[in-house]
């Protein structure tokens, strides 16, 4: 690998591109809608800069891929990997799972609910899961699964990156659980459509972390 940092296993989180509902402020929840043409271009632009052999997100270094089963996430995954998607579409590294599908917002489903963007996040989650503890357990299992997969490779024994392609709400809560925070911890986060975030583990202590800055692989 190019440098010592590249040997540390990472978790790439990717939010799907724009949808018609997101464009006008509707929260999509469990509705299964597709990306807009702009949403596809957003993801394609990200992919052209960051995804591919020798780039920041190198598919050959992925040991596991988790994708939401919603159309907008599946389209994002296909666009993100481009031609390489066909090569790995039947790969056993890929898991399509409801665990990272966006939660239904029940009373706000099909409605404009800007108040849900940050301060009432925990209310949205507990409508479905009834308690913060259940939310924590739900995503905590995924966090532990990923850590178990990466733990044998903390010294660079093998490339061991993980990719998650999902939705804005679920990914923001996943970040909190990765860092060991409760789901109602006041950690404001923004994630633009079609964007990529990076989580990792400190190689010396295996303490979870997120990267607040990144350098692209050297040419």
């Amino acid at each position: 690998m190019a440098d010592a940092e590249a040997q540390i296993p990472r978790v790439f989180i990717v939010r799907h591109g724009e949808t018609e509902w997101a464009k006008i402020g509707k929260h999509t929840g469990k509705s299964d809608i597709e990306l807009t043409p702009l949403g596809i271009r957003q993801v394609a632009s990200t992919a052209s800069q960051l995804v591919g052999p020798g780039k920041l997100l190198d598919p050959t270094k992925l040991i596991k891929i988790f994708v939401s089963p919603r159309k907008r996430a599946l389209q994002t995954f296909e666009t993100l990997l481009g031609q390489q998607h066909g090569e790995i579409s039947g790969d056993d590294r890929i898991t399509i799972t409801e665990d990272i599908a966006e939660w239904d917002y029940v009373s706000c489903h099909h409605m404009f609910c800007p108040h849900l963007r940050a301060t009432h996040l925990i209310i949205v989650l507990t409508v479905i899961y009834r308690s913060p503890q259940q939310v924590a357990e739900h995503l905590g299992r995924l966090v532990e699964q990923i850590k178990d997969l990466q733990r044998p490779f903390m010294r660079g024994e093998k490339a061991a990156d993980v990719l998650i392609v999902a939705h804005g709400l679920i990914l923001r809560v996943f970040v909190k659980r990765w860092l060991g925070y409760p789901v109602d911890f006041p950690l404001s986060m923004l994630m633009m459509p079609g964007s990529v975030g990076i989580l990792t583990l400190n190689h010396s202590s295996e303490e979870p972390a997120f990267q607040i800055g990144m350098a692209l692989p050297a040419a």
Side-chain angles (χ1 to χ4, degrees):
M1 296 185 185
D3 52 53
E5 285 298 313
Q7 298 176 23
I8 303 172
R10 299 164 295 185
V11 180
F12 292 98
I13 56 174
V14 177
R15 182 185 176 187
H16 65 74
E18 180 194 78
T19 64
E20 285 292 345
W21 284 15
K23 181 170 65 174
I24 61 174
K26 273 188 177 181
H27 291 270
T28 314
K30 289 186 176 180
S31 295
D32 207 7
I33 63 177
E34 298 183 352
L35 300 180
T36 63
L38 174 59
I40 292 173
R41 294 198 302 273
Q42 287 171 335
V43 179
S45 178
T46 296
S48 68
Q49 300 296 320
L50 302 180
V51 181
K55 295 185 177 181
L56 179 70
L57 201 171
D58 187 336
T60 66
K61 297 180 180 180
L62 295 173
I63 60 170
K64 191 67 180 177
I65 301 168
F66 297 95
V67 186
S68 162
R70 302 293 178 261
K71 289 178 182 177
R72 55 196 184 276
L74 292 170
Q75 280 184 295
T76 296
F77 176 49
E78 181 176 356
T79 305
L80 192 73
L81 268 64
Q83 293 181 340
Q84 297 168 84
H85 177 267
E87 299 172 7
I88 70 170
S89 58
D91 199 308
D92 59 9
R93 290 177 297 171
I94 303 172
T95 296
I96 310 296
T97 173
E98 286 282 345
D99 287 347
I100 53 172
E102 196 72 294
W103 290 306
D104 201 347
Y105 302 144
V106 186
S107 62
C108 285
H109 194 37
H110 302 297
M111 296 172 61
F112 292 90
C113 297
H115 63 283
L116 294 181
R117 293 188 184 277
T119 57
H120 290 178
L121 175 60
I122 188 61
I123 295 176
V124 176
L125 301 183
T126 54
V127 165
I128 302 300
Y129 287 99
R130 306 305 176 191
S131 74
Q133 290 74 24
Q134 288 174 303
V135 177
E137 290 170 5
H138 182 74
L139 286 177
R141 286 192 294 269
L142 178 59
V143 167
E144 290 307 314
Q145 180 182 353
I146 293 172
K147 289 181 179 179
D148 287 344
L149 287 169
Q150 293 183 330
R151 190 166 289 115
F153 311 112
M154 290 304 297
R155 300 297 180 271
E157 295 87 347
K158 171 187 172 181
D161 290 338
V162 170
L163 171 64
I164 300 176
V165 182
H167 315 266
L169 174 60
I170 188 76
L171 290 173
R172 296 200 302 273
V173 180
F174 178 83
V175 169
K176 293 184 182 184
R177 296 306 302 134
W178 179 264
L179 297 173
Y181 297 141
V183 294
D184 58 348
F185 185 80
L187 181 63
S188 296
M189 290 172 280
L190 296 176
M191 194 168 192
M192 302 300 292
S195 62
V196 178
I198 306 174
L199 303 171
T200 189
L201 291 167
N202 187 311
H203 70 281
S204 60
S205 65
E206 296 190 15
E207 180 180 357
F210 62 89
Q211 293 190 353
I212 59 173
M214 64 182 184
L216 298 180

